[in-house]
Amino acid sequence: DAVGKVQAGGRIVFAAGDYDEGMLVSKPISLVGRCSSMVTISGVREGPLGPTVLEVKGDVEVSISDLRVSGHGIGILAHAASQLSVSRAILTDTQAGGILAFESGTSVTVNEVWVSGTQLDAQGSYGYGIEAGAGANVSVMRSRISENHSSGVGAFESGTSVTVNEVWVSGT
């Protein structure tokens, strides 16, 4: 488990391939793929909202770039005051949500990301492209959000904010 071995402030660089394991990131690190068309993280682990491919938790700064996230769970879940940056990534064919952010103090910046094909969860609910709630802040720039089941970009509950700039939302 590379996440467990890397030091705080370190970087995990993924070679081309499919990594069939869910990940919990609870320390400040960077996850960098060779290219989002060549590196896929597709496994799931049980997260606080159900099956999750990649969970970012706690008061940490994490960056994710140049990889694909796909699997039978939430693509990327950020919560518990985490600060997350996602760039040049593809999230496709996840369940419940492509990128979900919740809880006050949680901040997610999405830049040059494609979120598509998010399906309903096992109970037949959700299917969001990018969703923020419970006081989280999300900023989406220069991205494409398409063919998601329920919504492209959304926010719920007071204190939550979503900013969208140069984003194409279609087929949702």
Side-chain angles (χ1 to χ4, degrees):
D1 177 49
V3 173
K5 293 177 183 175
V6 69
Q7 296 293 319
R11 175 183 291 193
I12 299 172
V13 179
F14 294 89
D18 187 359
Y19 297 84
D20 188 19
E21 64 179 272
M23 296 183 188
L24 169 62
V25 179
S26 57
K27 58 184 159 182
I29 63 173
S30 297
L31 304 175
V32 181
R34 181 168 182 215
C35 174
S36 61
S37 67
M38 301 171 77
V39 178
T40 301
I41 298 173
S42 61
V44 297
R45 58 179 296 284
E46 193 60 33
L49 299 180
T52 304
V53 178
L54 208 157
E55 177 183 352
V56 178
K57 176 183 178 182
D59 187 13
V60 295
E61 290 185 26
V62 173
S63 67
I64 298 169
S65 63
D66 302 301
L67 51 80
R68 176 186 301 260
V69 175
S70 180
H72 297 290
I74 296 166
I76 299 174
L77 171 62
H79 65 107
S82 58
Q83 308 297 302
L84 172 64
S85 171
V86 183
S87 61
R88 298 178 310 278
I90 298 171
L91 288 95
T92 185
D93 300 322
T94 59
Q95 289 182 331
I99 299 174
L100 297 182
F102 74 95
E103 294 178 339
S104 182
T106 300
S107 178
V108 177
T109 301
V110 177
N111 188 31
E112 296 180 1
V113 172
W114 183 12
V115 180
S116 70
T118 303
Q119 301 300 311
L120 299 175
D121 67 8
Q123 290 74 39
S125 301
Y126 308 108
Y128 305 126
I130 299 175
E131 196 76 19
N137 296 304
V138 174
S139 176
V140 185
M141 299 162 289
R142 301 183 62 186
S143 296
R144 178 178 175 185
I145 303 160
S146 62
E147 309 304 323
N148 297 291
H149 193 274
S150 298
S151 68
V153 179
F156 61 96
E157 298 181 1
S158 68
T160 301
S161 70
V162 174
T163 304
V164 178
N165 187 15
E166 295 182 49
V167 174
W168 177 22
V169 179
S170 68
T172 299

